[in-house]
Amino acid sequence: MKNVLLIGAGTMGRTHAEAYTAMKEVSLRGIVDSDAAAADKAAERFGIRAFGSYEEAMMELDAVDVVDICLPTYLHREYVLKAADDGKHIICEKPLAGSLKDAREMIDYCKDKKTKLFVGHVVRFFPEYVQARQVMEQKGLGDIAVVKASRTSSFPRAWDNWYADASKSGGLLLDLSIHDFDYLRWCFGEVERVFAKAYAPESPEGGGYALTTLTFRSGVIAHVEGSWSHQKFTTSFEIAGTEGIIDFNSANDNPILSFRKAPDKPLEGAAVPESPLLEAPYYRELAHFLSCMETGEEPIVTAEDAYQALAISLAAIESSRSGMPVALA
Amino acid sequence: MIKIGVASLAHMHAIGYMDALLEIDGVELAGIWDEDAVKGKEIADRYQTTYYPELEQLTGSEIDAVIVCSENVRHLECVMAAAKAGKHVLCEKPLATRVEDALAMIAVCRENNVLLQTAFPVRFQTSIKRGKELLDSGAYGKILAMKGTNRGRIPGGWFLDREFSGGGAVMDHTVHVVDVMRWYMGAEVTNVYAEAASRFSEGKIDDCGILTMEFNNGVFASLDCSWSRNKKFPTWGDVTLDVICEFGVLSINAFNQKMSVYSNENGVSWDYWGDNMDLELIRDFVQSVREGAKTASVTGEDGLRALEVALAAYRSAEDHSPAGIILAH
């Protein structure tokens, strides 16, 4: 039985809580949030205790094995170091940090304290992405030529509107496109050059759009679209090789589309797509991390992978500012 | 009766254009020149028109206009011959393979008071035209970014021979969508970053490319111009354009008026049932000739501007650095 303390009662914290609640071998002991109302609401929903601070939770709870950090990016470092100081294994949401310096410090710190650090690059646990990689490995698409990946959504509204503050979230190249950067690196190896163009509105209304080209050492050319200017959350990828093409688009490839009319407003409402799985990708990811803690097995995504994905995002941001391609070491 | 000749059948679009001529009232396909006498005669017989063994015989015959469908590098001599004989010209894209050739073509047509139209059929595609209408309505606000694709199957023959084509996928497929982007915004490309590679043609020529462009109105755009559709892909290729605007996103997939046809023999194919853009292109050109228009609706300059982008893309792909464009006049 693993005892988990969750830090952060936002969207991601609640998503993780849901996954833990479904796990037999896990006891979710509590949820921490500086916003007491948010913490209480989540605690009530999952039948766990709410705490106003990490320190309070650690004082109150006798057994915590794992600290799961679902906080805004700029707070990751502080809480990773705290949990490492307490000798807890750590699961931290992506991106690991906002700078390579912080990321390296966090990785080294956890090593020193002999605690394990896992970073939630969840795309590696989405079955469609896993399977595309398997198809490439097992069936082969020949020589991979051009790859397209896209992740578009409306602007994420969260606590303190922190996504709108680039100094806190890093903007969409750091927060959103990093999913695809990590996935593509998983599939195609190290990146040689990055070129990106980005639009980031100053307004608190949010938005933003970025187009990135990654050139891999293997010669693969990948194009990544990231958007906070769309309406619905959609992911897609296309991998074109000399012997075959893989194509996926979440807007078309899902099994359920439901449209419900409100009895009093028959003309309103929107169709909602759903792609149910016995084990959701977040469940798979967190269960895998917990299992790695038990067995000592290397996780599918390591903290070092998270560091490298961050390096790609930061290179893209630098390129979008300078107008020049950025070479990765 | 407007009489139109076809100079060279080297480009497969010649057949589509001739089919279009047959469908338009008041137009006659009045002759064909092709250096391959066997092919030229055969096609001339099939279309019940005259075969001319020499280009000057065609341009010197009793015709009003010439459609040039030669290999790219030979557009110059065909346009020269037609213009000097006082015939209007519709020239297949890319207009030329060198800026100086395009300038010479523009000059000779101007001196001889004949129309020079660059064959950009995509401008006449009904959904692309509708996209222009929607954006011009102002409802979407300012355009911020664009993402386009013009992918296709790898052609054969002279397309893979730089001596005749001037370049591969980047030359062949950049110009269509760049033309649409320029047309949508009334803006010019200032610089291009491109990654290009040769994967599908056994190293013969560039066959995949991702371009990122900046326009002089501040908009950035990317374009996938790859010949990445394989033999069994359900259709020949695509033209797509996503336009990210201040107040929304316009997503155009120009040939997505299709049905899937499943056969035991060929698997799935997408049969397009939308309007025929080649027919509308030819109809437009014929109308300009008939009305004695002062300039073509899509000009030689338009062809030149798109060519400049393709050429800059090659420079960039070579240098791994953005290539600036100084508009030639």
Side-chain angles (χ1 to χ4, degrees):
Chain A
M1 181 68 75
K2 286 254 182 295
N3 297 293
V4 178
L5 174 65
L6 198 48
I7 318 291
T11 306
M12 201 47 67
R14 294 195 303 271
T15 304
H16 284 207
E18 203 162 331
Y20 288 129
T21 308
M23 292 179 197
K24 286 197 186 83
E25 297 298 308
V26 171
S27 164
L28 184 59
R29 302 299 306 278
I31 190 159
V32 176
D33 204 296
S34 60
D35 177 345
D40 286 342
K41 202 173 159 200
E44 193 179 339
R45 175 172 159 199
F46 297 105
I48 54 177
R49 291 179 66 185
F51 300 98
S53 74
Y54 170 79
E55 287 74 12
E56 184 196 335
M58 293 306 281
M59 195 131 54
E60 296 277 325
L61 295 171
D62 43 9
V64 171
D65 306 304
V66 181
V67 175
D68 182 343
I69 300 167
C70 292
L71 292 172
T73 307
Y74 70 102
L75 296 171
H76 286 179
R77 177 182 165 279
E78 180 188 343
Y79 283 84
V80 165
L81 300 195
K82 276 185 196 185
D85 277 335
D86 290 335
K88 306 302 175 195
H89 293 315
I90 299 160
I91 295 173
C92 181
E93 253 311 317
K94 50 51 61 182
L96 178 56
S99 75
L100 289 177
K101 183 175 154 286
D102 283 359
R104 181 55 70 208
E105 185 193 357
M106 291 153 76
I107 293 171
D108 289 347
Y109 202 84
C110 290
K111 261 185 210 151
D112 278 356
K113 301 283 177 185
K114 305 215 173 354
T115 63
K116 294 203 165 74
L117 173 62
F118 301 89
V119 187
H121 281 286
V122 74
V123 171
R124 295 197 191 200
F125 299 87
F126 272 75
E128 60 272 39
Y129 285 83
V130 173
Q131 190 158 324
R133 187 168 175 274
Q134 273 169 1
V135 168
M136 280 189 278
E137 279 180 352
Q138 290 163 10
K139 297 185 189 162
L141 296 182
D143 202 359
I144 305 295
V146 186
V147 179
K148 316 279 291 279
S150 170
R151 195 165 296 271
T152 63
S153 76
S154 59
F155 181 68
R157 282 266 165 209
W159 171 77
D160 201 25
N161 201 20
W162 69 275
Y163 283 104
D165 184 344
S167 71
K168 292 177 174 166
S169 70
L172 71 81
L173 282 167
L174 188 76
D175 197 80
L176 186 69
S177 293
I178 197 168
H179 280 299
D180 295 296
F181 296 158
D182 173 65
Y183 175 70
L184 293 168
R185 184 179 160 271
W186 190 38
C187 293
F188 305 113
E190 298 305 330
V191 170
E192 187 164 313
R193 281 190 300 283
V194 181
F195 186 83
K197 292 277 179 207
Y199 159 75
E202 295 290 319
S203 125
E205 295 301 309
Y209 188 75
L211 297 169
T212 306
T213 305
L214 305 179
T215 308
F216 290 80
R217 283 184 203 161
S218 60
V220 170
I221 301 169
H223 186 56
V224 178
E225 176 187 44
S227 173
W228 279 340
S229 293
H230 280 63
Q231 190 177 24
K232 286 177 186 157
F233 182 67
T234 302
T235 69
S236 67
F237 57 79
E238 199 209 77
I239 303 164
T242 50
E243 302 299 324
I245 296 169
I246 301 177
D247 182 23
F248 167 83
N249 187 323
S250 69
N252 312 323
D253 303 324
N254 50 61
I256 294 181
L257 187 66
S258 71
F259 172 64
R260 208 182 48 191
K261 292 183 203 173
D264 51 333
K265 293 175 190 155
L267 297 177
E268 287 179 24
V272 181
E274 201 182 322
S275 185
L277 292 165
L278 290 177
E279 292 182 350
Y282 286 96
Y283 180 102
R284 294 174 194 214
E285 173 198 69
L286 296 170
H288 171 72
F289 289 163
L290 294 173
S291 148
C292 288
M293 286 174 202
E294 202 63 37
T295 62
E297 183 196 339
E298 171 120 320
I300 287 166
V301 56
T302 64
E304 197 56 38
D305 289 327
Y307 179 91
Q308 296 301 336
L310 176 61
I312 300 171
S313 277
L314 293 172
I317 291 168
E318 185 189 334
S319 171
S320 73
R321 286 183 185 149
S322 69
M324 297 298 286
V326 173
L328 283 179
Chain B
M1 183 67 74
I2 303 288
K3 294 183 171 186
I4 295 187
V6 172
S8 178
L9 305 168
H11 199 292
M12 54 275 202
H13 285 170
I15 298 297
Y17 298 154
M18 292 193 297
D19 288 340
L21 290 173
L22 300 183
E23 285 200 38
I24 302 169
D25 289 338
V27 176
E28 185 188 330
L29 169 58
I32 293 172
W33 164 75
D34 190 275
E35 66 176 358
D36 180 340
V38 175
K39 180 180 170 190
K41 275 183 196 151
E42 187 207 315
I43 303 282
D45 282 352
R46 196 195 305 165
Y47 283 85
Q48 297 177 337
T49 188
T50 313
Y51 170 73
Y52 295 99
E54 299 296 331
L55 173 60
E56 281 71 19
Q57 291 175 310
L58 171 74
T59 57
S61 67
E62 291 278 307
I63 54 175
D64 301 288
V66 175
I67 300 176
V68 175
C69 286
S70 66
E71 299 87 344
N72 298 343
V73 296
R74 304 178 73 180
H75 287 176
L76 177 66
E77 60 177 282
C78 295
V79 172
M80 285 284 181
K84 285 178 178 167
K87 312 300 194 240
H88 300 294
V89 181
L90 173 65
C91 183
E92 182 55 41
K93 50 53 59 175
L95 182 61
T97 59
R98 303 187 306 176
V99 168
E100 55 266 43
D101 292 356
L103 287 171
M105 290 156 71
I106 292 167
V108 75
C109 289
R110 187 180 300 134
E111 283 156 20
N112 290 281
N113 287 314
V114 296
L115 295 171
L116 172 57
Q117 176 158 356
T118 308
F120 281 136
V122 180
R123 270 208 208 191
F124 299 92
Q125 209 277 342
T126 306
S127 301
I128 294 288
K129 283 195 292 190
R130 175 66 180 146
K132 167 91 170 140
E133 239 174 60
L134 287 168
L135 291 170
D136 285 351
S137 75
Y140 294 79
K142 228 171 55 176
I143 294 174
L144 304 169
M146 292 191 180
K147 184 183 80 149
T149 66
N150 179 201
R151 296 172 292 188
R153 291 188 176 127
I154 189 164
W158 62 266
F159 280 91
L160 305 186
D161 185 345
R162 199 178 307 276
E163 295 289 306
F164 288 95
S165 62
V170 173
M171 180 62 85
D172 191 37
H173 274 185
T174 293
V175 293
H176 284 297
V177 176
V178 165
D179 179 65
V180 172
M181 289 173 172
R182 291 181 59 249
W183 182 49
Y184 272 15
M185 299 190 289
E188 299 295 348
V189 177
T190 56
N191 69 76
V192 185
Y193 179 83
E195 293 286 352
S198 182
R199 291 278 182 282
F200 302 102
S201 60
E202 286 150 358
K204 287 194 191 86
I205 205 158
D206 58 286
D207 48 38
C208 45
I210 301 281
L211 276 61
T212 308
M213 295 160 271
E214 268 188 326
F215 286 80
N216 60 4
N217 59 356
V219 168
F220 63 88
S222 72
L223 172 60
D224 180 350
C225 59
S226 307
W227 288 334
S228 55
R229 304 304 79 180
N230 57 19
K231 288 192 284 268
K232 295 283 185 178
F233 199 79
T235 188
W236 60 271
D238 66 13
V239 170
T240 71
L241 189 58
D242 288 1
V243 187
I244 288 68
C245 305
E246 205 179 353
F247 304 121
V249 175
L250 182 65
S251 202
I252 302 170
N253 184 356
F255 301 102
N256 202 24
Q257 287 169 313
K258 64 162 202 288
M259 63 186 78
S260 300
V261 178
Y262 304 87
S263 79
N264 282 334
E265 191 115 327
N266 300 314
V268 59
S269 68
W270 291 341
D271 280 21
Y272 173 73
W273 45 259
D275 294 326
N276 177 350
M277 62 178 183
D278 287 347
L279 175 59
E280 297 314 307
L281 162 71
I282 299 298
R283 208 192 290 283
D284 169 82
F285 176 66
V286 166
Q287 191 177 333
S288 292
V289 171
R290 186 180 281 139
E291 290 174 352
K294 290 274 176 278
T295 56
S297 52
V298 185
T299 63
E301 280 81 2
D302 289 321
L304 166 63
R305 296 296 166 241
L307 169 65
E308 287 174 317
V309 176
L311 293 173
Y314 281 113
R315 293 200 303 276
S316 170
E318 190 77 21
D319 298 346
H320 303 314
S321 179
I325 295 176
I326 296 162
L327 302 181
H329 291 283

